[in-house]
Amino acid sequence: MRLSTLRYYFREAFLSIWRNSWLSVASIGVVAVSLLILGSSLLLVVNANRIAQGLESSVEISVFIKDETTPDHVRDIKFEIEARPDVARVEYVPKEQALKEMMENLGDDQDILAGLEEKNPLPDAFRIKTHTVDQVAPLAAWLEAFARVDQVRYGQGVVEKLLTISRWVRTAGAVTMVLLGVAAIFLIATTIRLSVFARRKEIGIMKFLGATNWFVRFPFLLEGMLLGLAGSFVAVVVIYFGYLSLIGNINLSLPFMRLVTERSLIISLMEGLLALGLAIGATGSMISMRRFLKA
Amino acid sequence: MIQFNNVTKIYANGIKAINDVTLRIRKGEFVFLVGPSGAGKSTLTKLLYREEIPSRGQIIFNGKSLARIRPREVPYLRRKIGMVFQDFRLFPQKTVFENVSFALEVTGASNREIRKVVPVVLNLVGLIEKADSFPDYLSGGEQQRVCIARAIVNNPVLIIADEPTGNLDPDTSWDLMNLLLDINRRGTTIIMATHAWDIVDAMKKRVVALKDGRVVRDEMRGVYGHEA
Ligand SMILES: Nc1ncnc2c1ncn2[C@@H]1O[C@H](COP(=O)(O)OP(=O)(O)O)[C@@H](O)[C@H]1O
Ligand SMILES: [Mg+2]
């Protein structure tokens, strides 16, 4: 593509945006709002997952085994647990070791456990870690079903709650985003349709001068893409600075809350939003052109 | 160069605008299309630049059957044909220079080529001084000369002029005819639909008379005639 042609495309696109300025502003606004919602819910999900991950290391499943279980049985159960793909690590903790750990934890107060060595009341147990937090609950349920298993314990509640929130945010965010995204696409399609309509005479002249369809269409495609990009740019700027100030505030007031601050992650999120805005704009204009700029 | 073989055009509303026309036009000819309004003159030219497609029959242009041309190739066909209309069809917000250069831009010509060719063409039509004016500030004759400049800037093999003098006074019309004649002498084929009987009679060129979509007369050094 020649530079002069490119310049022509951009000039025409900007001219159209300028002529339909009100509709252009509305399109940009709707794209911005929908991407703002998408971006913030993505950030929320990323952070919720991060916190859940932090909890993950402290979440392990303790499986207490019935007293009369033979070492052979223990070995069989361990093999079976290890064979599962969601299990990261299995540790067998005999009751003696459990008692020793407990005493060590008590430190100076370990006297209260004195005499228990002979008649240890603790059960033998497995300590199991999964790869991710959301594997904990299903695995626990599976373990409950073993005949030799007496009790399954893990940090019930906290993890689920966090995951529920994260899932809920994800769904709500996705639904709003899709609805607003569709609205944005159609608003852009309307804007482009008006641009095409305003130029139908010029388009006619271009056609008899021997302009290819793409030469005629490209400024309109560009117009849609620029509108989408402008909207996503607004969203990105708002999210970026909003998130920075949120990180600052949280570090001051809730220093134990660790938010995601990796630049690379935030930047790729912003890039994704910009690309999505571009795609929304392109889709909007393609819809218009398919209907109003046939051959 | 152009061959119509039993061409019929029936519009969607059932009107038979062209009825079984067989016609041959050689390279370098100057052909007047005459006939009353609604005779099918404009339709005949539209069939040539593929604005319309024949209902029956075939048209050969430059050795190629127009029916075989894919929609994708139509723009390239049109770049070989310069068009001039009664209502000018200039871009009002572009200058004279830009209106002419746009026909080159559309084909992807380089800036260098544009700067080289456009002044030559504007000079030819005598509008080099008005290069930076806007069409609305020009007289009808000047606007039509801009159209001719735009039509020839791509070096077309054929110029189709559909009542180009329809909006011009007699003197200006003659200036325009001399310009077209000049272009024709350089080898460009010209097809001109017109009602200007005095011009047709004076020029003594080939006259194809249409009536109700049929060719009723085709004379090499013809006159406007009385069918109309
Ligand atoms: N796009 C169209 N749809 C339907 N009828 C048309 C169309 N264009 C022209 N016609 C009809 O076809 C006939 C020939 O028209 P036209 O070729 O414009 O004649 P001329 O140019 O000789 O005046 C007329 O009866 C006109 O009404
Ligand atoms: Mg006509």
Side-chain angles (χ1 to χ4, degrees):
Chain A
M1 195 184 291
R2 289 185 185 281
L3 200 67
S4 54
T5 310
L6 206 63
R7 212 170 27 225
Y8 161 79
Y9 289 155
F10 272 97
R11 199 182 51 222
E12 294 297 299
F14 277 115
L15 211 67
S16 266
I17 291 175
W18 180 246
R19 277 189 197 156
N20 296 329
S21 46
W22 280 110
L23 210 54
S24 301
V25 167
S27 305
I28 292 171
V30 175
V31 173
V33 169
S34 62
L35 292 182
L36 205 62
I37 288 173
L38 175 74
S40 348
S41 46
L42 274 180
L43 272 176
L44 241 157
V45 167
V46 167
N47 277 300
N49 284 352
R50 171 65 56 91
I51 293 166
Q53 245 167 47
L55 290 177
E56 187 176 13
S57 51
S58 59
V59 173
E60 62 180 14
I61 305 176
S62 298
V63 181
F64 301 127
I65 299 175
K66 285 182 182 156
D67 246 355
E68 61 275 22
T69 311
T70 64
D72 275 355
H73 261 121
V74 167
R75 197 156 3 98
D76 289 348
I77 297 172
K78 191 168 182 235
F79 277 146
E80 215 172 319
I81 297 171
E82 275 172 341
R84 282 182 63 101
D86 48 357
V87 170
R89 190 161 56 75
V90 185
E91 190 193 357
Y92 178 62
V93 186
K95 57 176 111 181
E96 296 79 23
Q97 191 188 329
L99 187 64
K100 220 171 87 194
E101 281 176 14
M102 197 182 252
M103 289 170 84
E104 276 165 12
N105 279 345
L106 288 173
D108 289 344
D109 298 327
Q110 57 184 266
D111 296 356
I112 51 168
L113 297 179
L116 282 183
E117 287 95 335
E118 278 78 60
K119 202 175 169 302
N120 188 343
L122 298 175
D124 294 325
F126 286 112
R127 286 184 194 148
I128 304 168
K129 285 210 162 175
T130 54
H131 291 289
T132 64
V133 233
D134 43 353
Q135 292 166 338
V136 170
L139 183 61
W142 181 76
L143 290 163
E144 302 254 25
F146 274 80
R148 299 268 126 229
V149 167
D150 192 28
Q151 236 186 44
V152 179
R153 284 214 185 141
Y154 63 99
Q156 276 108 332
V158 185
V159 173
E160 274 101 330
K161 240 170 239 157
L162 206 61
L163 288 180
T164 314
I165 291 174
S166 152
R167 222 167 290 144
W168 194 85
V169 167
R170 212 172 339 188
T171 321
V175 169
T176 349
M177 155 66 198
V178 166
L179 289 180
L180 280 173
V182 169
I185 286 174
F186 279 97
L187 201 55
I188 286 181
T190 308
T191 313
I192 301 301
R193 198 178 75 185
L194 280 190
S195 302
V196 172
F197 191 71
R199 305 187 149 215
R200 60 199 184 287
K201 263 194 182 153
E202 296 173 26
I203 291 171
I205 299 175
M206 286 161 77
K207 291 244 165 105
F208 82 67
L209 288 178
T212 58
N213 275 335
W214 271 112
F215 188 89
V216 176
R217 285 176 176 176
F218 206 84
F220 297 109
L221 180 64
L222 201 62
E223 183 183 349
M225 285 164 74
L226 286 172
L227 292 176
L229 198 65
S232 56
F233 186 74
V234 171
V236 160
V237 167
V238 170
I239 291 177
Y240 186 76
F241 288 104
Y243 192 61
L244 279 193
S245 79
L246 184 73
I247 290 175
N249 283 332
I250 287 211
N251 278 347
L252 283 180
S253 52
L254 300 165
F256 50 88
M257 274 267 286
R258 288 270 154 70
L259 290 186
V260 174
T261 53
E262 285 96 322
R263 279 197 93 72
S264 62
L265 189 84
I266 296 176
I267 286 183
S268 55
L269 180 74
M270 303 290 123
E271 283 170 354
L273 289 181
L274 287 176
L276 203 60
L278 210 62
I280 286 176
T283 311
S285 26
M286 291 302 264
I287 288 175
S288 253
M289 291 192 299
R290 264 188 46 198
R291 288 179 56 196
F292 301 101
L293 268 183
K294 285 192 211 105
Chain B
M1 186 177 86
I2 297 162
Q3 176 85 47
F4 281 67
N5 288 330
N6 306 100
V7 174
T8 295
K9 172 67 193 179
I10 303 167
Y11 281 112
N13 59 6
I15 289 182
K16 208 180 234 179
I18 294 291
N19 190 357
D20 196 29
V21 165
T22 297
L23 187 68
R24 180 160 169 210
I25 295 170
R26 267 180 289 268
K27 190 168 176 351
E29 272 194 276
F30 196 125
V31 182
F32 285 115
L33 284 180
V34 301
S37 288
K41 306 182 293 294
S42 297
T43 303
L44 194 83
T45 65
K46 283 178 186 164
L47 289 168
L48 269 174
Y49 58 88
R50 268 271 306 230
E51 178 73 17
E52 299 293 348
I53 298 168
S55 315
R56 281 198 290 278
Q58 85 170 343
I59 303 169
I60 313 280
F61 177 78
N62 252 354
K64 256 194 170 172
S65 166
L66 290 190
R68 296 255 172 73
I69 286 188
R70 280 168 293 179
R72 206 148 41 76
E73 296 170 312
V74 170
Y76 302 94
L77 165 76
R78 291 186 183 169
R79 290 174 195 181
K80 292 194 205 126
I81 304 175
M83 286 170 232
V84 181
F85 299 97
Q86 176 173 9
D87 56 356
F88 313 139
R89 304 193 195 176
L90 293 167
F91 292 98
Q93 79 284 19
K94 288 188 198 293
T95 64
V96 167
F97 187 97
E98 289 164 347
N99 262 289
V100 176
S101 71
F102 190 68
L104 281 170
E105 272 177 57
V106 154
T107 68
S110 69
N111 266 338
R112 199 146 58 90
E113 207 180 327
I114 287 172
R115 275 196 298 270
K116 207 180 80 188
V117 177
V118 176
V120 173
V121 174
L122 284 180
N123 211 15
L124 188 76
V125 301
L127 279 178
I128 193 74
E129 256 92 66
K130 306 262 179 169
D132 295 324
S133 309
F134 288 90
D136 288 346
Y137 296 95
L138 300 181
S139 71
E142 286 167 332
Q143 288 187 52
Q144 198 56 296
R145 278 187 281 154
V146 178
C147 297
I148 290 187
R150 179 177 67 182
I152 61 175
V153 74
N154 269 319
N155 248 327
V157 293
L158 169 68
I159 285 183
I160 292 174
D162 195 347
E163 303 190 26
T165 61
N167 284 333
L168 306 181
D169 59 57
D171 281 353
T172 327
S173 297
W174 271 112
D175 287 347
L176 196 82
M177 288 319 296
N178 286 328
L179 186 56
L180 283 175
L181 211 55
D182 198 29
I183 293 163
N184 176 243
R185 281 200 202 97
R186 291 160 198 245
T188 310
T189 311
I190 295 182
I191 298 177
M192 172 170 160
T194 187
H195 289 296
W197 59 270
D198 50 333
I199 288 175
V200 176
D201 286 351
M203 296 242 315
K204 302 210 162 40
K205 295 287 185 187
R206 181 173 173 192
V207 175
V208 174
L210 289 175
K211 191 170 188 220
D212 299 330
R214 288 180 181 276
V215 177
V216 292
R217 183 162 55 93
D218 184 354
E219 292 170 344
M220 280 326 275
R221 286 165 60 82
V223 290
Y224 191 78
H226 304 290
E227 302 93 345

